[in-house]
Amino acid sequence: MITPVADPTMMDGDDARASLLPETDPRRRGPGGGGQKQPSSSTVLPAVVSAALLLVLAAVAILASQHADDGQGGVAAAGRVVEVAASRGAAEGVSEKSTAPLLGAGGALRDYAWTNAMLAWQRTAFHFQPPKNWMNDPNGPLYHKGWYHLFYQWNPDSAVWGNITWGHAVSRDLVHWLHLPLAMVPDHWYDANGVWSGSATRLPDGRIVMLYTGSTTESVQVQNLAEPADPSDPLLRRWVKSAANPILVPPPGIGLKDFRDPTTAWRVPNDTAWRVAIGSKDRSHAGLALVYRTADFVRYDPAPALMRVVPGTGMWECVDFYPVAAGAGGVENGLETSVPPGPGVKHVVKASLDDDKRDYYAIGTYDAGADAWTPEDAANDVGIGLLYDYGKFYASKTFYDPVLRRRVLWGWVGETDSERAAILKGWASVQSIPRTVRPPGHEDRQQPAPVARGGGGEPPDERQELRRRGAGPRLHRAPRRRQGDTAGHRGRVRGGRGGRGGRDGGRRGVQLQHQRRRGGAGPARPVRSARARRRRPLGADRRLLLPGQGHRRQPQDLLLPRRAQGIKGERSGEESLRKLGPRAARGEPVSKNSG
């Protein structure tokens, strides 16, 4: 533990500049002149004052030692603390995971003396984050049997980087999430120092393979393979690591700590082999991407191809490679990763640069025969040109959504809070709101990707395709507001809560409902009360509902399979799945009395 030290710039200097006590000040003379003898108390008071000062200094030292928190030293002084910067991740062979060295000067970070009450409001509503502790890179996103899956780098023990495992969560709409048990943990020699970033690939036969980087007991970066234990499980709750691990080790000329983050695999026409790209750098500090070929994801060609080398860019982390439509046809849709190169198809290469912690991308042409990629504009090559985002956005990863035919982009948003603040609030980092990547030709190449309730967020032809297939996320459709409800709502808005205009407007809305429901004969059915009508905002069936809007069962409707929504009462997604059992998670029919 680093002993905290007081910040000299925060010390109060008023006492130091104050004059001496009257009894000991030589400038204060008695009426008898300069030779008058001082009272005897002049020899006692300085000793008392010195003893008091020593006691105060001792108390300050005790308080300072009690103020140290989890290795982060600091002394509170006028609402400030001084925190000693600690580097995390760089020594283990990954990018720096602590913001303190970036923000502090000379290794010291000046931070406000936050409390839990002050930090509680920082939890987000729409950005994904785990319930607690540290999180960084998004890993292996995919869509499987009606659920969007997100894996992520997570420390289950603390709000700072370390002990990296794979957290796992699923969603129907990329907004409401159900947190599941850990997918993978560092429990073998080939990933004992961390289960690091990786990507998912869906094979034509329906299998899902997950390639990821492991840090061995000797901190060597190797590539490993894992598959779901039960591919028929929509939630993919259990994963099994291959007995052949590690399947790839650093090749000659590549550093033992410079070989990580495999991409989603792809294939090319007239070749059954899969390709996988891995980020690295050479001895001259040139960033590069290596391409390996494999037929079974266990055995690989020993000599990789160089997809691209850019001098001076340093280590390429979290490389991503995917096609985009460049022609007029199908520009609104994303492309599956194995779409072959050709007219109207370009390929994007993205790299997260360890040197400056930013995500660079470039658009170019892929040569499938040589597994080489050439940018359209050499001045905007990877690492020296275009950025995904100009804020805190790093280690991004895309995946292809086969239902809505789009490419979705995730990115890690590392905050600039100090480690002391992160420990106080109990969590660190969020994921960006997922974005839809749009091909060249659009002014805005990224758009928010969450699925809107009521089908308002996707083009009409895609909604029709969803209905025709009967596939995709089954989102509960909010009831449309009837004409009378709208009239009453507008009347209340114009007249206020207690005004005559509001009462008249509400009455007119009720009359319209009675006329429509009566149909010329028979008594009118009961009409919802004004309070019930006020619960739903106008036009809420055509947009994504915010927290607190709409009916109370909205989160449950989105988190459970539709056949499992017949249960009564308000339950969280986890509680409902636990009570209904595995049959509900698989989407099988479940009785209302189940559980």
Side-chain angles (χ1 to χ4, degrees):
M1 179 180 294
I2 301 176
T3 304
V5 294
D7 184 0
T9 63
M10 304 303 300
M11 295 179 62
D12 189 358
D14 293 337
D15 293 339
R17 292 191 297 268
S19 60
L20 299 176
L21 294 174
E23 294 80 356
T24 60
D25 191 346
R27 293 172 296 179
R28 297 182 64 89
R29 302 291 185 180
Q36 185 176 359
K37 185 178 179 179
Q38 299 297 325
S40 61
S41 60
S42 61
T43 60
V44 177
L45 286 177
V48 173
V49 172
S50 299
L53 290 175
L54 290 174
L55 290 174
V56 170
L57 291 175
V60 170
I62 293 174
L63 291 175
S65 63
Q66 294 177 348
H67 193 68
D69 185 11
D70 289 331
Q72 302 303 317
V75 175
R80 292 281 179 180
V81 295
V82 176
E83 179 177 312
V84 177
S87 175
R88 299 185 186 275
E92 289 79 3
V94 292
S95 60
E96 180 61 60
K97 296 300 188 294
S98 173
T99 58
L102 301 177
L103 299 179
L109 173 64
R110 203 165 192 168
D111 184 31
Y112 189 79
W114 298 105
T115 65
N116 277 318
M118 297 176 186
L119 297 169
W121 60 271
Q122 291 192 19
R123 291 267 327 168
T124 62
F126 286 100
H127 293 75
F128 174 85
Q129 60 183 138
K132 62 179 181 179
N133 294 345
W134 169 273
M135 173 184 65
N136 52 292
D137 306 3
N139 296 149
L142 74 149
Y143 179 86
H144 181 66
K145 294 185 180 296
W147 295 89
Y148 292 101
H149 291 253
L150 176 64
F151 305 87
Y152 52 92
Q153 303 276 278
W154 190 51
N155 182 354
D157 299 329
S158 175
V160 299
W161 183 89
N163 186 30
I164 295 301
T165 66
W166 270 34
H168 184 196
V170 295
S171 172
R172 294 285 198 183
D173 62 348
L174 298 176
V175 175
H176 305 85
W177 293 91
L178 175 63
H179 295 279
L180 298 176
L182 293 175
M184 288 189 286
V185 298
D187 55 1
H188 291 75
W189 69 268
Y190 51 77
D191 57 12
N193 281 324
V195 182
W196 291 350
S197 291
S199 303
T201 302
R202 182 182 296 278
L203 307 186
D205 59 4
R207 290 173 54 208
I208 298 174
V209 296
M210 193 75 74
L211 298 177
Y212 73 94
T213 298
S215 180
T216 71
T217 53
E218 302 297 329
S219 295
V220 177
Q221 295 173 8
V222 298
Q223 312 311 313
N224 303 304
L225 171 66
E227 296 188 48
D230 181 11
S232 64
D233 177 14
L235 301 182
L236 300 176
R237 282 168 285 194
R238 294 192 305 114
W239 290 79
V240 178
K241 299 175 183 178
S242 173
N245 287 341
I247 54 174
L248 280 171
V249 298
I254 297 298
L256 299 181
K257 295 184 179 181
D258 301 327
F259 184 66
R260 55 185 178 268
D261 309 335
T263 66
T264 296
W266 72 94
R267 288 199 297 188
V268 299
N270 304 320
D271 193 346
T272 59
W274 292 87
R275 272 85 165 161
V276 176
I278 299 174
S280 186
K281 68 176 180 180
D282 62 17
R283 294 188 178 96
S284 62
H285 203 65
L288 56 91
L290 302 169
V291 176
Y292 285 87
R293 298 187 184 188
T294 179
D296 56 6
F297 291 92
V298 175
R299 293 174 291 272
Y300 293 77
D301 287 347
L306 279 176
M307 174 181 279
R308 187 64 181 171
V309 181
V310 181
T313 54
M315 178 66 199
W316 284 14
E317 294 190 302
C318 302
V319 172
D320 205 1
F321 177 74
Y322 57 89
V324 292
V331 294
E332 294 295 333
N333 298 332
L335 297 180
E336 200 272 331
T337 309
S338 292
V339 167
V345 176
K346 296 292 183 180
H347 280 78
V348 172
V349 171
K350 188 263 345 181
S352 302
L353 295 198
D354 187 17
D355 285 1
D356 64 3
K357 308 302 182 291
R358 288 187 169 186
D359 276 21
Y360 291 84
Y361 78 97
I363 301 174
T365 303
Y366 171 55
D367 181 355
D371 286 326
W373 174 89
T374 305
E376 288 185 327
D377 182 6
N380 285 318
D381 207 338
V382 180
I384 58 177
L386 303 174
L387 290 170
Y388 267 166
D389 195 296
Y390 287 81
K392 291 286 291 183
F393 187 88
Y394 192 68
S396 60
K397 180 64 187 173
T398 68
F399 75 100
Y400 178 70
D401 180 352
V403 176
L404 298 182
R405 294 180 293 171
R406 58 181 180 170
R407 182 157 292 274
V408 179
L409 169 68
W410 286 98
W412 167 42
V413 179
E415 301 166 295
T416 55
D417 288 345
S418 66
E419 288 190 352
R420 176 182 172 275
I423 292 171
L424 279 175
K425 66 186 180 183
W427 55 271
S429 303
V430 299
Q431 298 294 340
S432 68
I433 290 178
R435 311 170 186 181
T436 299
V437 177
R438 306 183 71 183
H442 293 272
E443 182 177 352
D444 50 341
R445 295 188 180 180
Q446 299 178 35
Q447 284 188 331
V451 178
R453 294 181 74 245
E458 60 272 9
D461 59 330
E462 296 186 0
R463 295 200 301 271
Q464 295 170 5
E465 181 68 12
L466 284 174
R467 287 194 293 269
R468 185 183 68 81
R469 292 187 193 178
R474 299 177 177 179
L475 302 181
H476 180 80
R477 185 174 181 85
R480 291 185 178 273
R481 184 182 293 277
R482 296 181 181 273
Q483 182 180 0
D485 298 338
T486 303
H489 173 82
R490 291 175 179 169
R492 288 192 301 275
V493 171
R494 287 196 299 267
R497 180 168 293 184
R500 180 177 178 83
R503 290 195 297 272
D504 292 344
R507 223 176 271 121
R508 286 194 296 272
V510 171
Q511 291 170 359
L512 287 172
Q513 293 183 55
H514 276 260
Q515 293 170 5
R516 180 179 65 251
R517 293 174 179 176
R518 188 179 295 120
R525 288 180 293 178
V527 182
R528 291 184 303 163
S529 65
R531 177 177 296 180
R533 288 196 299 272
R534 282 197 296 269
R535 285 177 184 166
R536 294 195 59 78
L538 182 64
D541 60 318
R542 299 300 299 164
R543 64 175 179 168
L544 182 68
L545 295 180
L546 302 178
Q549 296 178 338
H551 58 89
R552 294 175 60 196
R553 293 181 66 85
Q554 178 211 359
Q556 179 176 320
D557 291 341
L558 292 174
L559 286 176
L560 289 177
R562 196 164 194 171
R563 297 172 182 172
Q565 292 176 11
I567 59 176
K568 297 180 180 180
E570 299 295 333
R571 296 173 180 165
S572 66
E574 292 186 8
E575 181 184 358
S576 300
L577 284 174
R578 183 171 61 254
K579 289 183 176 295
L580 292 176
R583 293 179 60 193
R586 292 194 296 268
E588 299 178 2
V590 178
S591 170
K592 292 184 179 181
N593 298 323
S594 298

